[in-house]
Amino acid sequence: MNSLKTSQDFVKSVLTKMISFDTQNPPGKTAALVAYLEELGQQLGITTKIIEYDEEKANIIWILGSGSKKILFSGHLDTVPVGSIAEWSFDPLTAVELENNFIGGRGTADMKGGVASILGVFHTMKDRIDDFDVQLIYLGTSDEETTMEGARRIPDEYVKNADILIVTEATDMKVGIAEKGAYWLKVIVKGKAAHGSQPWEGINAIIKSVELSKEVAGILEADVNHPLLGKSTFNLGKLHGGTKTNIVPERAEMEWDIRLVPNLDKKAFLQRLEQLFAEYRNKHGVKVETSVIHDIPALECRNVNHPFIQYLKQQTGEFIGLTYGTDAAALLQKNPNVPFIIFGPGDPRIIHKHDEKISLAQVVQASDLLIDAIRKAYSSESDT
Ligand SMILES: [Zn+2]
């Protein structure tokens, strides 16, 4: 069979162009980038659809082929903010050519490079798609870096009968099959005020807040271990309380960032939390009020024996888990049984930092490996 190899010139030109659209989130304006991808798709003979959900935000969908097996690719279009420009050694909003065939700029690794790999797959396979019983669907979403609203707006039908979902977030070409969930809580602790010279008369809400936080961290530490992700984690990210040096603070407000592993029983954990709050009320006289800020479920791939996944694993080594969530968490709520992987170019250690960059060779390699995995998993060829 003729080789299907990704064109480096193509992925370089689309990556360069995509970086030039400022999609920093907030505010996460993606409409102009979506319009570019619509035009590009049409030029390539690909069916495109736009899902608008805000004046300046949209999702783009590319569809290629009409085979029976639906292969979903997911890659978000927004980026985190560039932060302090002074810390960058190059302009983050122009794709800058760096040494060793790297491209620099905000979003190169997270994850316009990964999107370029997906577009590379479409570009390479467009004239040969009928050789395979597949339909390739790219879901280009907005707001992944904040609320995952874009992924939530993808119509259920795309995910319901998908054969596999591939999220090309930066994994340095490792195959991720699990990700932690995020459970963020706002917690208000109410104690009792007293004069600072008589602290025994009051209940110090700040001290109780810290003690309570430590107990929650301890509960997670004592809970299950995940073979790829280790333990669930707890971070006390914000704590405000108190009004004056000489007053025992009666109120404190915290924000907790809890990251749960997929094999932890979340329902039981939440019950344990309620029990703990009740203990604090009964034993320490403090009232605890909570509200959920953010809730993204943990995920674990339900069929790692899928031939597409097994092929990529053979090419890249051992499976990994991700400590953060991806659009997969929102997409798979529409059908949790779809096998999924997180697999893409880029070093996950440099995302969200200044001087973000990506190896162009790796973007091409990711595209090539995805194409080869499609050939292995979805064709009856004997010569591949
Ligand atoms: Zn990302």
Side-chain angles (χ1 to χ4, degrees), residues 48-102:
T48 60
K49 283 184 187 160
I50 290 183
I51 299 170
E52 280 173 14
Y53 67 90
D54 180 287
E55 238 169 73
E56 293 175 292
K57 295 177 182 182
N59 297 326
I60 178 87
I61 299 178
W62 276 21
I63 301 169
L64 177 65
S66 52
S68 70
K69 302 284 187 186
K70 291 189 173 23
I71 306 174
L72 287 186
F73 293 93
S74 162
H76 64 84
L77 304 173
D78 58 324
T79 70
V80 292
V82 300
S84 163
I85 297 264
E87 289 195 51
W88 289 73
S89 44
F90 46 80
D91 176 3
L93 297 175
T94 348
V96 181
E97 292 193 33
L98 305 169
E99 282 181 343
N100 301 319
N101 204 22
F102 272 75

Side-chain angles (χ1 to χ4, degrees), residues 76 78 109-111 144-145 169-170 324-326 351-352:
H76 64 84
D78 58 324
D110 185 13
M111 60 169 293
E144 191 274 345
E145 297 290 0
E169 290 271 13
Y324 52 89
T326 68
I351 64 174
H352 298 200

Side-chain angles (χ1 to χ4, degrees), residues 26 58 72 99 121 165 192 253 260 271 276 286 304 309 337:
L72 287 186
E99 282 181 343
V121 172
L165 167 67
K192 190 178 156 208
E253 195 174 304
L260 299 174
Q271 279 168 358
L276 183 65
V286 294
V304 295
I309 299 175
N337 291 317

Side-chain angles (χ1 to χ4, degrees), residues 12 22 34 80 83 87 130 134 146 210 218 298 319 358:
K12 184 179 178 183
D22 179 352
V34 162
V80 292
E87 289 195 51
D130 293 336
V134 297
T146 50
V210 172
F319 288 137
I358 197 161

